[in-house]
Amino acid sequence: MNITISDLHFSYAPNVKALNGISLTINAGEQVAIIGQNGAGKTTLVRHLNGLLKPTSGSVSIGDWDTTKHSVAKLASKVGYVFQNPDEQLFSKDVLTEVEFGPKNLGYKKNKIDQLVKRALELTELTGKQETNPYDLSPTWRKMVALASILAMDTPIVIFDEPTTGQDFTNITRIANVIAELKKTGKTVITITHDIDFCAENFERVIALSKGQVLLDGSPREILGQEEILAQTYVDPPQLTRLGKKIGLQETVITPQEFLKALAQRAG
Amino acid sequence: MAFINIQNLTYQYPTAKAPVLQNINLQINEGEFVAVIGANGAGKSTLCYALAGFVPHFFKGEFSGVVEVNGIQSSQAALAEWVLNVGLAFQNPFNQISGAKYTVFEEIAFGLENIGVEREQMKSRIEAAMKLTGIAELADRSPYSLSGGQQQRVALTSILVMQPKLLVLDEPTSQMDPIGTREIFAVIRDLSNSGMTVVMAEHKMEWIANFADRVIALKDGQILLEGKPNEVLTSDVLAENGFGISRYTSTAREAQKRNLWKKDSLPVTLEEAVEGFRRK
Amino acid sequence: MYIARASGLHQLHPLTKVLLTFCLLIAGLALPGNWTSYLIILLVIFPLSVWGKVFPNLLRITWLVSLPFAISVILIQSLFWGTGTPLFEFWIFAPKLEGARYAVISLGKIILVMSDFLLFSLTTRPDALMIALKQAGMPSSIAYIIVTTLQIVPSFQRKGATILDAQRSRGLETEGNLFVRAKALVPIVLPLVLGSLMEVEERAIAIEARAFNSRQTETSLIEIPDTQLQKNFRTVILIVMFLLIIFGILWRL
């Protein structure tokens, strides 16, 4: 299911442009990271993908659905959206009920729901915590419950809004695993992130936004080495990219594997 | 005598089943910039609260041991007095907005009004603090209309403007963009150079390595390691205990195995990594 | 909720507006006559809101908030009013003229209370109010609670909107008939309440960290202009309020 955004403009208030002419196509199964400075329009952009915001002008289509023609609740069958703060959605007496909420809303059959929920709990390592009240879990685990509650909806497109913010190393690894698993099953993943190393290691396409426009769009290798352009939107290249440049590696490297390979080649 | 002196601190929240901090001993000198790292739940925030006086004063619970700042014990002082010397900003910026103010400029004034700073002095202090943290252009905006990263800058500024002797920060940059984060770390480094003591709980290893004087690694409520960033952040113990480390360190460790890193010590900053990886 | 406008009403001292607000409220409730509240709304509150350049806002919010009350009052009266002149009958509904009259009268009181407080909050800066209350000798903790309570509606709106978005994104239907909307209530209200409880603790820490309970004499960033005229006016309002209360009691004896 492709996402087509054409000449999207959006203003929260007259004269305050949040998005200023964005055109993008995101193909089914792509893993896309959206980066850029605070206030660049990242959240505003992804909120258009499930109809939470409607374009001031231009259009957004999910498959052949124009987002202005369908309710958010209907679009939820195509686009899952993991919000930044889990506490703004958790309300059930236990984890299981919470995770079942989405797929039930979508009207799936009971055994499909059971399967999806089981899978989502496994992926987020929540198995064994089904009967716990979400509010008895730590914020880190509440984040995983929120994640599971969207995964269980089995949507072809999944959006994450800053999933790694405030998370520790173990949980970032967990989230990376979830994204890898979604990729394997052919889902489209769109993630807003400030964590550029996370972005370099887990995504195949990077879109840098600045002042409501697309600044850069391409593979991490094409995009994340462009230090000066990225600086316009307050982003540094990944650690190893900066290091590679400084020690004079020929090509742009972004992951540890690439860096070590380039290093080995240089050593001969 | 150290500026901060923590002795045998053990603390348990009222409804908890086990202590969240266990037998913490720690001395920090005036003007030091100390980073506290550890998994979520390791006790970083509680340590911050203990320094800021909210443990035990606000949270109650079982507190034993001594937390002493500038020669005064927290258990002997009233919280209202304690906060005059110790500033605290924490992660969720939204909940730090006072709710009683209309613009960012006035929001930052809240603390100064409470300690009775004269109006003209108040204005100049607020302007200076906003310039420092790069939010001068947000002065007339409503604090609620800002993005998370901008709100975090406002929360930090609201505390900085009060010029505390000790600044306690619990993941103050979590929602900031990458260069914004680096800028804030640099500002905090400057403050520490000019004599402010800083204790900061953080996950962002690269900037801790670049800017902090000392790193304390917490695990399950206890101090696992402490020392200079390049000692602590390169330690095998850290890696074995599931701590995140910067790509410079982890990649150099890999390179070491393949004989591509020849130095004895591992790098923690870009400069150190460049130094070691540069073709001789 | 405050809306910044350059108007004479905005410039009045917050205490003047506090007293005016209470005076109008007491007048509407204490004075005899079934239609007094409507008269006060039409002849005092609406003109004042025009002066304060917030009339459309006042009208819109009053309408939005009063509507559920209006519906429930009318519904209850037409279901349960016993004897009287029947208006019409439909299914279980048999509204009587007397019941309808009573509903409209009580609704007037509700609308008065709402529009009166709205007029105040739309034209009074929360921080100015807090400073004015403290200057009048109120302890700062009480002034803070009053001011933040006045802000509770917009703060719930902000939070509620985000929660609504999160749940709609999980396929929750929120548009449609009454039954659909009622079902959507729990997933929205529960996180709102739980979130607010957690927020209270963190906010208490945040303001305490900013020396809220410090014993120093407080200062204020903004100046609140006051005039002798306004001071005199406030005395007059106080006397009027006192007389209204006495009159209200005597008249009811």
Side-chain angles (χ1 to χ4, degrees):
Chain A
M1 189 165 291
N2 294 354
I3 299 170
T4 317
I5 302 169
S6 44
D7 198 27
L8 171 61
H9 290 256
F10 182 79
S11 308
Y12 285 100
N15 307 323
V16 193
K17 281 229 155 185
L19 296 179
N20 201 356
I22 290 190
S23 296
L24 285 172
T25 305
I26 295 173
N27 295 320
E30 275 195 282
Q31 316 291 300
V32 184
I34 299 180
I35 59 173
Q37 73 189 107
N38 293 129
K42 304 183 295 297
T43 301
T44 307
L45 175 62
V46 299
R47 281 179 162 239
H48 277 86
L49 301 183
N50 71 338
L52 286 172
L53 295 175
K54 309 286 184 193
T56 305
S57 73
S59 72
V60 177
S61 302
I62 307 300
D64 52 8
W65 280 20
D66 184 327
T67 58
T68 55
K69 303 218 163 66
H70 299 271
S71 73
V72 176
K74 290 281 179 298
L75 280 160
S77 65
K78 301 186 185 294
V79 185
Y81 188 134
V82 183
F83 276 62
Q84 212 182 117
N85 182 355
D87 298 340
E88 279 159 356
Q89 67 162 75
L90 302 181
F91 70 98
S92 306
K93 63 179 184 355
D94 56 46
V95 169
L96 187 70
T97 322
E98 187 71 48
V99 178
E100 282 174 344
F101 179 72
K104 275 187 176 164
N105 284 333
L106 298 182
Y108 295 157
K109 295 230 162 54
K110 175 132 190 353
N111 47 18
K112 183 174 182 190
I113 294 178
D114 290 348
Q115 261 177 7
L116 289 172
V117 168
K118 185 165 174 277
R119 185 84 192 103
L121 292 173
E122 278 167 10
L123 271 177
T124 49
E125 299 177 35
L126 281 163
T127 313
K129 296 189 170 70
Q130 287 99 317
E131 284 165 31
T132 315
N133 185 315
Y135 283 92
D136 288 336
L137 294 170
S138 69
T140 311
W141 282 112
R142 287 210 292 274
K143 185 103 182 174
M144 296 318 277
V145 176
L147 224 147
S149 74
I150 302 301
L151 293 180
M153 290 162 66
D154 195 30
T155 51
I157 300 161
V158 184
I159 296 170
F160 296 91
D161 192 348
E162 296 195 30
T164 60
T165 292
Q167 302 301 308
D168 57 24
F169 177 68
T170 320
N171 222 34
I172 292 177
T173 312
R174 256 184 221 122
I175 293 167
N177 290 341
V178 168
I179 290 173
E181 190 59 32
L182 288 172
K183 179 185 176 158
K184 242 190 258 170
T185 49
K187 309 278 190 195
T188 310
V189 176
I190 299 167
T191 303
I192 295 176
T193 186
H194 286 309
D195 186 337
I196 300 304
D197 296 293
F198 178 77
C199 164
E201 287 154 24
N202 295 286
F203 296 88
E204 55 195 27
R205 178 173 173 191
V206 178
I207 297 170
L209 292 187
S210 175
K211 300 182 179 118
Q213 292 181 310
V214 174
L215 186 66
L216 292 168
D217 179 1
S219 74
R221 194 162 298 96
E222 289 161 4
I223 303 306
L224 296 176
Q226 306 196 36
E227 188 157 0
E228 275 148 34
I229 301 179
L230 287 175
Q232 289 173 26
T233 193
Y234 264 61
V235 169
D236 279 326
Q239 293 176 3
L240 295 177
T241 312
R242 281 178 276 152
L243 176 58
K245 280 240 161 86
K246 289 229 170 180
I247 62 168
L249 293 183
Q250 293 301 314
E251 68 269 50
T252 303
V253 296
I254 54 173
T255 64
Q257 296 77 14
E258 288 172 8
F259 179 84
L260 289 167
K261 202 173 136 206
L263 208 60
Q265 276 169 0
R266 191 183 70 171
Chain B
M1 193 65 205
F3 181 69
I4 300 175
N5 182 20
I6 301 180
Q7 278 173 14
N8 303 323
L9 168 63
T10 297
Y11 175 74
Q12 182 169 342
Y13 283 106
T15 54
K17 293 185 186 79
V20 58
L21 292 177
Q22 286 182 63
N23 205 27
I24 302 279
N25 286 286
L26 189 60
Q27 275 75 42
I28 295 171
N29 294 319
E30 189 158 14
E32 245 191 302
F33 178 176
V34 177
V36 182
I37 62 171
N40 291 344
K44 301 191 300 295
S45 299
T46 311
L47 183 60
C48 287
Y49 282 142
L51 284 167
F54 290 88
V55 159
H57 288 296
F58 182 88
F59 287 101
K60 311 298 178 200
E62 287 169 47
F63 178 96
S64 68
V66 171
V67 173
E68 194 181 273
V69 174
N70 206 13
I72 304 164
Q73 285 189 24
S74 66
S75 55
Q76 310 289 310
L79 187 53
E81 298 300 316
W82 190 260
V83 298
L84 300 179
N85 289 320
V86 184
L88 169 73
F90 48 90
Q91 200 188 142
N92 185 341
F94 185 81
N95 292 348
Q96 293 176 77
I97 299 171
S98 72
K101 297 294 180 180
Y102 190 62
T103 67
V104 166
F105 195 89
E106 291 155 15
E107 176 66 27
I108 297 167
F110 184 83
L112 297 181
E113 294 177 328
N114 290 334
I115 56 173
V117 175
E118 291 308 323
R119 187 169 293 142
E120 285 316 308
Q121 206 201 338
M122 193 172 343
K123 284 182 187 163
S124 59
R125 270 169 75 168
I126 298 169
E127 277 159 14
M130 291 179 83
K131 207 172 147 211
L132 195 65
T133 55
I135 54 169
E137 75 279 13
L138 302 179
D140 297 326
R141 298 268 299 272
S142 158
Y144 289 107
S145 72
L146 307 177
S147 74
Q150 290 170 325
Q151 284 180 345
Q152 279 187 325
R153 283 178 189 243
V154 173
L156 177 64
T157 315
S158 302
I159 285 299
L160 283 183
V161 76
M162 299 181 70
Q163 301 171 348
K165 288 195 176 72
L166 167 60
L167 180 64
V168 182
L169 303 170
D170 188 358
E171 296 191 44
T173 68
S174 60
Q175 296 180 34
M176 287 185 202
D177 48 45
I179 295 185
T181 302
R182 167 156 47 91
E183 286 174 356
I184 290 298
F185 266 86
V187 166
I188 291 165
R189 177 71 257 177
D190 284 346
L191 289 168
S192 144
N193 288 344
S194 60
M196 192 183 277
T197 311
V198 181
V199 176
M200 181 200 251
E202 252 303 346
H203 291 300
K204 294 174 179 169
M205 296 305 160
E206 178 169 16
W207 306 128
I208 291 173
N210 268 287
F211 293 106
D213 295 311
R214 189 146 52 115
V215 177
I216 292 164
L218 284 184
K219 195 190 182 207
D220 301 331
Q222 291 177 307
I223 296 181
L224 182 71
L225 282 175
E226 89 168 276
K228 290 200 172 358
N230 56 6
E231 296 162 11
V232 173
L233 299 177
T234 56
S235 157
D236 293 337
V237 178
L238 214 59
E240 285 155 17
N241 280 278
F243 281 72
I245 48 176
S246 80
R247 268 69 172 179
Y248 304 132
T249 316
S250 57
T251 310
R253 185 173 280 139
E254 259 325 291
Q256 203 172 33
K257 291 179 196 157
R258 304 175 192 185
N259 209 20
L260 293 164
W261 176 267
K262 310 249 165 48
K263 295 180 100 180
D264 291 335
S265 65
L266 294 170
V268 289
T269 63
L270 178 61
E271 285 67 32
E272 289 170 10
V274 170
E275 176 64 32
F277 279 122
R278 186 180 284 143
R279 205 197 294 254
K280 292 288 156 7
Chain C
M1 198 169 281
Y2 170 73
I3 299 174
R5 293 277 150 84
S7 90
L9 188 60
H10 280 73
Q11 279 158 23
L12 284 186
H13 193 274
L15 282 188
T16 310
K17 282 183 269 186
V18 169
L19 288 179
L20 193 62
T21 303
F22 280 108
C23 187
L24 290 174
L25 193 66
I26 291 170
L29 302 178
L31 287 176
N34 289 328
W35 310 104
T36 323
S37 357
Y38 284 107
L39 283 178
I40 290 176
I41 295 167
L42 287 174
L43 298 180
V44 186
I45 293 182
F46 282 180
L48 277 177
S49 73
V50 173
W51 182 41
K53 299 181 183 164
V54 291
F55 179 60
N57 313 72
L58 180 90
L59 205 60
R60 195 176 57 87
I61 307 175
T62 308
W63 166 253
L64 280 177
V65 185
S66 306
L67 199 62
F69 283 101
I71 292 171
S72 54
V73 169
I74 289 168
L75 217 61
I76 289 168
Q77 297 307 337
S78 46
L79 273 172
F80 301 115
W81 195 270
T83 51
T85 327
L87 286 173
F88 60 87
E89 266 186 60
F90 171 71
W91 191 33
I92 52 168
F93 300 98
K96 310 286 186 307
L97 183 63
E98 290 77 3
R101 197 178 128 87
Y102 180 81
V104 175
I105 291 169
S106 25
L107 208 54
K109 297 203 166 95
I110 295 172
I111 299 175
L112 171 73
V113 174
M114 280 182 201
S115 56
D116 190 29
F117 278 110
L118 265 173
L119 178 66
F120 175 79
S121 7
L122 287 172
T123 59
T124 311
R125 283 176 56 141
D127 50 342
L129 173 65
M130 185 161 153
I131 293 161
L133 290 174
K134 286 198 286 193
Q135 281 170 354
M138 185 180 277
S140 31
S141 53
I142 296 178
Y144 179 78
I145 289 169
I146 291 178
V147 168
T148 46
T149 309
L150 286 175
Q151 309 263 69
I152 212 156
V153 176
S155 117
F156 264 47
Q157 272 175 346
R158 262 190 306 269
K159 249 184 139 62
T162 318
I163 294 169
L164 185 65
D165 281 352
Q167 307 299 40
R168 283 154 76 208
S169 304
R170 296 167 77 191
L172 180 70
E173 284 289 357
T174 53
E175 289 148 35
N177 60 36
L178 214 59
F179 180 68
V180 171
R181 282 165 193 250
K183 243 180 75 179
L185 220 53
V186 173
I188 291 165
V189 172
L190 257 169
L192 188 63
V193 173
L194 292 171
S196 302
L197 290 177
M198 292 198 286
E199 187 183 318
V200 165
E201 180 177 281
E202 285 209 333
R203 177 149 299 151
I205 294 172
I207 64 165
E208 178 83 52
R210 287 154 80 187
F212 184 65
N213 288 322
S214 131
R215 286 180 204 95
Q216 259 111 334
T217 320
E218 290 168 33
T219 49
S220 68
L221 174 68
I222 54 170
E223 267 175 290
I224 308 170
D226 202 2
T227 56
Q228 192 54 45
L229 186 70
Q230 282 196 62
K231 284 181 188 152
N232 297 342
F233 182 60
R234 291 205 289 271
T235 317
V236 173
I237 300 180
L238 272 174
I239 297 169
V240 171
M241 270 164 71
F242 179 72
L243 292 176
L244 278 170
I245 293 169
I246 300 288
F247 178 79
I249 294 170
L250 289 179
W251 187 78
R252 279 179 173 77
L253 283 179

